[in-house]
Amino acid sequence: MQFHHINHDRTKLLIFFGGFYTDYNCFEEFDTKTSDILFINDYSNLDFEELRYFDFSPYSEINLIAYSYGVWAANEAYKACALPEINKSIAISGTYYPVHEKFGINPKVFNIMLNALSVDTMARFRENMLSGGAGGEIKQAERTLDNLRDELINIKKYSVMSADDADEFEFETYIMTKNDKIFPFRAQENFVNSRDWKNTHSVILNTGHFPFFEFENFDNILEA
């Protein structure tokens, strides 16, 4: 895992779990600098020690946004007792089951992506992230093919383990993306409908897998 602490000298912190392929470059334009940011990505391992021992004491408010496979990773961090107390939490375009016939990306589709991983397939992946959305362009992530392959292999390994719904993080808001060509909307909907969470509300956007251009910035997302 990679941790990137962006210090704007604020008393609020946003913990952001990115998705597959992404890094902070993909989201920098949505940073209003009203919060410090702890950006987490690269799930080629799930070592939460740096998060567990991060100094959260300077912050009076800590919020959480998790995107795509970052939704799964955030729940894993919670189960590992690595998350601090969270004020607001938003899940976007993901579930706790990254590879799953009902709640995630279909295993056959996932294996095709893993086995065919190349510069060309990653270019198409970026196109599909934006497809069905409001426009805009995702900045190039500084990730290597070997690193992305390791990330997919590790995600697949953890996906054979069933999520423990008796001990899972309950997001305040789930944003689901109806025109999603990466993480099927039906899987997102199935997952949310399978949970009996009392304090969670869901938002459906008619957009693709990367819905951030539907918002001006991170602050707007936290208000969803």
Side-chain angles (χ1 to χ4, degrees):
M1 296 176 69
Q2 297 293 324
F3 296 83
H4 185 190
H5 183 214
I6 299 95
N7 187 357
H8 297 311
D9 197 24
R10 302 296 183 182
T11 59
K12 294 194 298 183
L13 177 71
L14 172 62
I15 302 175
F16 192 112
F17 283 84
F20 170 70
Y21 169 81
T22 64
D23 62 11
Y24 178 67
N25 292 328
C26 302
F27 304 94
E28 185 175 12
E29 62 191 287
F30 304 103
D31 180 3
T32 59
K33 301 183 180 180
T34 55
S35 299
D36 288 1
I37 297 175
L38 181 60
F39 188 88
I40 303 168
N41 70 305
D42 180 5
Y43 308 121
S44 54
N45 69 69
L46 287 185
D47 184 355
F48 294 113
E49 287 304 291
E50 188 167 346
L51 178 62
R52 188 176 288 110
Y53 292 107
F54 185 85
D55 183 11
F56 294 106
S57 63
Y59 299 106
S60 59
E61 179 180 323
I62 302 174
N63 299 310
L64 171 64
I65 294 176
Y67 168 61
S68 190
Y69 277 169
V71 176
W72 158 74
N75 185 52
E76 293 299 312
Y78 172 78
K79 289 160 61 178
C81 300
L83 285 183
E85 183 176 350
I86 300 295
N87 186 334
K88 293 182 179 180
S89 56
I90 312 288
I92 303 173
S93 306
T95 73
Y96 294 166
Y97 299 80
V99 186
H100 194 275
E101 290 185 356
K102 185 177 181 181
F103 297 135
I105 292 179
N106 185 281
K108 292 181 180 179
V109 174
F110 182 91
N111 287 331
I112 290 171
M113 179 171 65
L114 173 57
N115 294 330
L117 195 68
S118 68
V119 173
D120 290 340
T121 57
M122 282 298 92
R124 289 196 293 273
F125 183 85
R126 291 179 73 244
E127 291 176 2
N128 285 335
M129 287 177 71
L130 290 168
S131 179
E137 181 61 39
I138 305 172
K139 291 183 180 179
Q140 184 71 39
E142 295 180 0
R143 307 283 301 276
T144 67
L145 281 178
D146 285 343
N147 174 237
L148 292 173
R149 184 176 291 105
D150 289 344
E151 182 172 25
L152 289 178
I153 290 170
N154 198 51
I155 288 170
K156 181 180 179 179
K157 180 182 75 173
Y158 275 92
S159 292
V160 302
M161 307 174 188
S162 298
D164 181 3
D165 59 10
D167 181 27
E168 62 184 14
F169 186 78
E170 182 176 342
F171 279 90
E172 178 181 334
T173 300
Y174 255 89
I175 296 177
M176 297 183 283
T177 39
K178 197 165 188 178
N179 303 326
D180 202 313
K181 289 190 176 182
I182 301 293
F183 207 110
F185 170 71
R186 180 60 63 189
Q188 300 173 47
E189 188 177 47
N190 286 342
F191 174 75
V192 172
N193 290 341
S194 72
R195 265 47 187 176
D196 186 24
W197 290 337
K198 306 300 184 185
N199 301 311
T200 299
H201 75 280
S202 58
V203 177
I204 298 176
L205 298 180
N206 291 314
T207 187
H209 186 64
F210 193 87
F212 293 87
F213 293 111
E214 303 290 330
F215 304 90
E216 291 185 12
N217 51 54
F218 292 145
D219 293 341
N220 293 144
I221 294 173
L222 289 169
E223 295 168 358

